[in-house]
Amino acid sequence: MDIKITKTQNPKPKPAWENAGFCKYYSDHMFIMDGNKTKGWYDARIVPYGPLQMDPASLVFHYAQESFEGMKAFYGVDGKIRLFRPDANMKRMNITHKRMSIMEFDGDFVLKALDELIKIEKDWVPPVDEMAMYIRPFCIGNGTHLGVKSSDDFIYCIILSPVGAYYPEGMAPTKIYIEDKYVRSVEGGTGAYKAGANYAGTLQPGEEVLAKGFSQICWLDAKERKYIEEVGTSNIVFVIDGKVVTPTLKTGTILPGITRDTTLQLAREWGYDVEERPVSVEEVFKAADEGKLNEAFATGTAAVISPVGLIHYKGKEAIINDQKTGPLSQRIYDEVTDLQYGRKEDTRGWIHIVE
Ligand code: COI
């Protein structure tokens, strides 16, 4: 399929990069293609960024048939633009599509379209360390119907935004609140898929947690309310008594994060014992009491590696590593960002250069 390109006549001024925040500004162009369950994907195009015109009866408005991904483009020290493991995002998005009854797509084609889009928008990639251009591919069901059914028609879209740190704390350790009232995901549900619908129910609990003075919410399993699942927009990793421990994906309730996978691969490569298994709140607080909770950090594309300095559960608090960034958190952050900004050679096939 060809990609038709229509350039804007009114390019927007770029923000001062230090004021870019997280997704406050959007670039000049976006990628769109239409899909129909019978016809397949068609009309791939790069067009000026702007509103989508949609019928109010579009299924996404009523039954949330939507998928999305989070990726970033980095401006390297050599002036080249790099993506980090983009094939993993495409693969995961198609897995989401299966679960959400959305048409699957050709990941190689979308990556080619993304390269074209980024080449047009290269001046929107901040040439600044610790900043990137956030990439948001998403897909919505825009067939019209008010009966509960899967859409026959879809829009696949990619938009771009220059970004700095996701959390206002940046790399400074966050305070997390382990949620004991609400749950995010249940076994057999959609918690392991990247669908907007998973986030809607987390907004109000997240606001309550922010109002209590914490930076992020940490979810527990829905069945026993004992086991830690994930944190706000990220996965969570603990270092307990020198071992790297993280909640297992086997329950199907946790997002299989790409930064999570990267972290575990690096930790194994560096000789750490890595355990993917149920991690109870009790175990984490016990380790803290015994001085064995060495580190905790959240992992995600938006959040990168975000150290956790304090955890709270039902009035009890534990301080982690004196609220300082721990050595493994720092090492992973450095390794990942060195690859992303081209400061280190990629020997693992994780980097895609946009050209
Ligand atoms: C990302 O880390 O890129 C995500 O997609 C999480 C998002 C909810 C901000």
Side-chain angles (χ1 to χ4, degrees), residues 68-71 134 136 166 194 199 233 300-303:
F68 75 98
E69 274 297 323
M71 306 163 74
Y134 191 71
R136 172 53 60 92
Y166 184 78
K194 207 140 176 77
Y199 292 80
T233 63
T301 299

Side-chain angles (χ1 to χ4, degrees), residues 67-173:
S67 70
F68 75 98
E69 274 297 323
M71 306 163 74
K72 279 177 175 168
F74 305 89
Y75 189 96
V77 287
D78 52 3
K80 291 186 180 161
I81 296 173
R82 287 172 170 76
L83 306 180
F84 188 70
R85 306 187 65 189
D87 45 326
N89 292 93
M90 294 297 109
K91 197 171 152 202
R92 184 172 67 182
M93 195 168 184
N94 263 325
I95 293 172
T96 301
H97 280 206
K98 259 202 179 126
R99 178 65 176 86
M100 304 307 286
S101 189
I102 299 176
M103 278 169 67
E104 286 175 61
F105 60 94
D106 176 352
D108 292 339
F109 173 75
V110 169
L111 284 185
K112 200 176 110 208
L114 178 58
D115 269 6
E116 290 309 309
L117 179 64
I118 294 174
K119 278 192 268 177
I120 292 171
E121 301 294 62
K122 61 181 188 323
D123 294 344
W124 284 91
V125 185
V128 178
D129 197 21
E130 301 192 355
M131 293 192 74
M133 185 167 70
Y134 191 71
I135 302 167
R136 172 53 60 92
F138 65 99
C139 187
I140 51 181
N142 71 325
T144 54
H145 202 56
L146 296 186
V148 178
K149 72 182 272 289
S150 169
S151 184
D152 288 333
D153 294 286
F154 296 92
I155 296 175
Y156 189 111
C157 190
I158 307 179
I159 55 174
L160 308 172
S161 168
V163 294
Y166 184 78
Y167 293 111
E169 292 94 332
M171 211 13 212

Side-chain angles (χ1 to χ4, degrees), residues 235-276:
N235 295 114
I236 186 156
V237 178
F238 298 94
V239 184
I240 299 178
D241 204 14
K243 284 187 186 151
V244 176
V245 180
T246 195
T248 174
L249 300 179
K250 282 194 185 138
T251 53
T253 53
I254 296 172
L255 192 84
I258 295 159
T259 315
R260 172 192 183 278
D261 180 70
T262 301
T263 296
L264 303 185
Q265 283 198 48
L266 289 174
R268 287 190 174 107
E269 196 182 303
W270 295 336
Y272 281 87
D273 280 339
V274 174
E275 296 179 359
E276 295 177 72

